[in-house]
């Protein structure tokens, strides 16, 4: 069987829902979602933006369709993490 290869969108700056929609459109999936210390409650989690993704964005079709992307979301960069 042949596996379709797809590009990886740049999700940084998107909310989780925006990132999820972009991943579905790109034929990818949401993997592990981690939140920064700046996210303290449910309201914060809906406003949090993607700060990091574990696969770098690429226009080239380099990953199999259905691949999961792990996301790190927060309201701002926390101490101990660098941009």
């Amino acid at each position: 069987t042949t596996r379709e290869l797809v590009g990886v969108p740049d999700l940084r700056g998107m909310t989780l829902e925006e990132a999820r929609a972009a991943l579905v459109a790109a034929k990818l999936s949401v993997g592990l979602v981690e939140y920064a210390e700046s996210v303290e409650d449910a309201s914060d989690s809906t406003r949090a933006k993607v700060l990091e993704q574990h696969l770098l964005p690429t226009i080239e079709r380099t990953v199999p369709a259905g691949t999961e992307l792990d996301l790190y979301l927060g309201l701002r960069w926390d101490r101990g993490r660098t941009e």
Side-chain angles (χ1 to χ4, degrees):
T1 61
T2 59
R3 296 268 331 234
E4 180 182 3
L5 294 179
V6 298
V8 178
D10 187 351
L11 306 174
R12 293 170 295 186
M14 295 184 181
T15 65
L16 180 57
E17 288 311 307
E18 291 167 340
R20 190 182 313 274
L23 287 173
V24 167
K27 299 182 180 179
L28 298 168
S29 302
V30 174
L32 177 69
V33 176
E34 290 186 88
Y35 288 96
E37 291 177 16
S38 59
V39 177
E40 297 177 351
D41 56 31
S43 173
D44 288 348
S45 69
T46 60
R47 293 184 299 119
K49 307 279 190 197
V50 175
L51 300 177
E52 280 183 2
Q53 60 190 68
H54 90 283
L55 290 177
L56 293 177
T58 176
I59 295 169
E60 291 84 34
R61 297 175 185 275
T62 56
V63 297
T67 296
E68 292 184 346
L69 254 71
D70 297 342
L71 305 175
Y72 181 76
L73 289 88
L75 299 175
R76 62 182 179 277
W77 281 97
D78 294 324
R79 288 187 314 278
R81 288 190 76 95
T82 56
E83 222 172 314

